Amino acid sequence: MAVASFGPSENLKPVRLTVPEPGPDEVVVKVDAVAVNPADLGMREGRYPWADEPRLPLVPGYDLAGTVEVGNADWPSGTKVIAITEHKNTQIGAYAEFVTLPTRLLALAPEGMDVAQAAALPLAGLTAIEALSALDLAPGATLLVNGPRGAVGSLTVQIAKHRGITVVANGEGPVDAALDTVGGERAQAAFDSVRDNGRYVTVVPEFWVPGGPFTEARGIKPQVVAAQFETDRLRELARLASEGVLTTTVGEEFPLTEAAAAHARLEAGGVRGKLVLIP
Ligand SMILES: NC(=O)c1ccc[n+]([C@@H]2O[C@H](COP(=O)([O-])OP(=O)(O)OC[C@H]3O[C@@H](n4cnc5c(N)ncnc54)[C@H](OP(=O)(O)O)[C@@H]3O)[C@@H](O)[C@H]2O)c1
């Protein structure tokens, strides 16, 4: 599913594209489920900071669960995996039946999770880990998560608790630190809950949802973070999910060919859980 021209959800249409031959340290993965992330909407609309000039038709999609189709010695065909596409740089997304990926973007699929739940893990999980890394909290510290039921928010809550951090809800404070996953003016209350000289991180940049607190005040320096696609972190997420420490919530599944309907659904708002496309 790709956009030949940027625009509304109906611009997302089926296309027939050649799957790139895997190079050294690459495999072809058959996609079993692919998550719809908020950034995919911006990609489709043409308001996304691509590393290079976008090449159309463009296939969105960060997150997938799949099965290695053309493998190598370390990742033989048939291996169940989760993966992230890094398509901000490559422009090779996962709204597809097959995707060619470097093996550093793969982890073994978590045991006990279905493919839709597993596909909801990589981007949100890597973002949560990066946010917690930037906050650098010791066990026992207090953390407020703005948007705790969202994908990034809920995984941050789960990982933080696993690390012994005390997670509190909006309205409680003062706290040592806050993580915002909502952005805009709705992030101000989270910032205001942080104690003087505490820490505040948001995963929602100004260009994406304007109006958030980005000015230093009371010794708190707002920091914007983005997911880092580190192999060790992806595999750690998969391991924690296998151990039952992490779960994800799937809102609704759509056939891949109905990606446009999934985008319209996400845009309409009020979705609980990740929307997932099934090829
Ligand atoms: N920087 C990065 O690398 C990166 C990576 C991933 C995501 N993001 C960004 O992070 C944000 C969250 O992503 P996600 O995947 O976690 O999305 P999500 O699952 O849709 O979660 C969004 C969260 O925002 C909350 N929210 C939405 N509208 C709200 C409102 N009017 N008032 C209060 N809360 C509201 C939701 O709360 P409810 O549960 O109450 O609806 C939910 O908790 C998105 O903007 C996304 O683009 C950034």
Side-chain angles (χ1 to χ4, degrees):
M1 297 297 294
V3 282
S5 64
F6 293 122
S9 55
E10 53 268 27
N11 286 23
L12 205 42
K13 294 190 174 125
V15 289
R16 199 160 280 283
L17 297 172
T18 306
V19 180
E21 287 287 324
D25 298 323
E26 287 187 337
V27 294
V28 177
V29 179
K30 178 182 159 294
V31 179
D32 295 325
V34 49
V36 177
N37 281 291
D40 302 352
L41 305 180
M43 295 185 163
R44 191 207 70 224
E45 291 163 350
R47 57 183 193 96
Y48 184 81
W50 297 102
D52 304 312
E53 199 58 31
R55 300 178 292 276
L56 300 167
L58 207 144
V59 182
Y62 273 110
D63 276 339
L64 66 131
T67 310
V68 175
E69 177 83 7
V70 182
N72 61 24
D74 295 329
W75 297 88
S77 62
T79 309
K80 301 285 182 194
V81 295
I82 57 170
I84 191 150
T85 62
E86 211 175 35
H87 69 332
K88 179 176 181 173
N89 299 324
T90 62
Q91 298 184 23
I92 296 173
Y95 285 21
E97 290 168 301
F98 296 93
V99 62
T100 305
L101 290 172
T103 55
R104 67 184 171 77
L105 300 178
L106 306 183
L108 290 177
E111 288 161 29
M113 263 190 171
D114 66 30
V115 290
Q117 284 181 304
L121 186 62
L123 180 67
L126 290 173
T127 310
I129 289 181
E130 182 59 22
L132 284 169
S133 167
L135 289 167
D136 191 23
L137 300 172
T142 48
L143 170 68
L144 184 152
V145 176
N146 190 33
R149 290 172 298 180
V152 176
S154 68
L155 284 166
T156 305
V157 169
Q158 294 171 64
I159 298 168
K161 286 183 175 170
H162 184 64
R163 294 180 181 179
I165 294 162
T166 304
V167 180
V168 305
N170 263 335
E172 292 180 60
V175 288
D176 296 316
L179 166 68
D180 164 55
T181 71
V182 179
E185 289 166 11
R186 294 187 297 267
Q188 188 63 47
F191 185 89
D192 292 342
S193 298
V194 178
R195 64 165 168 79
D196 291 356
N197 304 307
R199 294 170 202 166
Y200 173 86
V201 159
T202 181
V203 299
V204 187
E206 177 77 359
F207 80 85
W208 187 240
V209 184
F214 293 102
T215 308
E216 182 175 353
R218 298 186 291 109
I220 310 158
K221 288 186 188 140
Q223 195 183 340
V224 183
V225 300
Q228 303 300 313
F229 297 170
E230 288 178 22
T231 309
D232 289 351
R233 288 181 176 183
L234 184 67
R235 294 178 190 169
E236 169 79 355
L237 284 169
R239 192 179 60 76
L240 288 173
S242 290
E243 290 170 0
V245 173
L246 300 182
T247 59
T248 61
T249 307
V250 173
E252 214 176 313
E253 296 180 18
F254 293 76
L256 175 63
T257 48
E258 288 178 26
H263 274 216
R265 179 74 194 85
L266 189 58
E267 268 162 352
V271 173
R272 291 274 176 272
K274 209 45 108 186
L275 302 183
V276 175
L277 309 174
I278 308 290

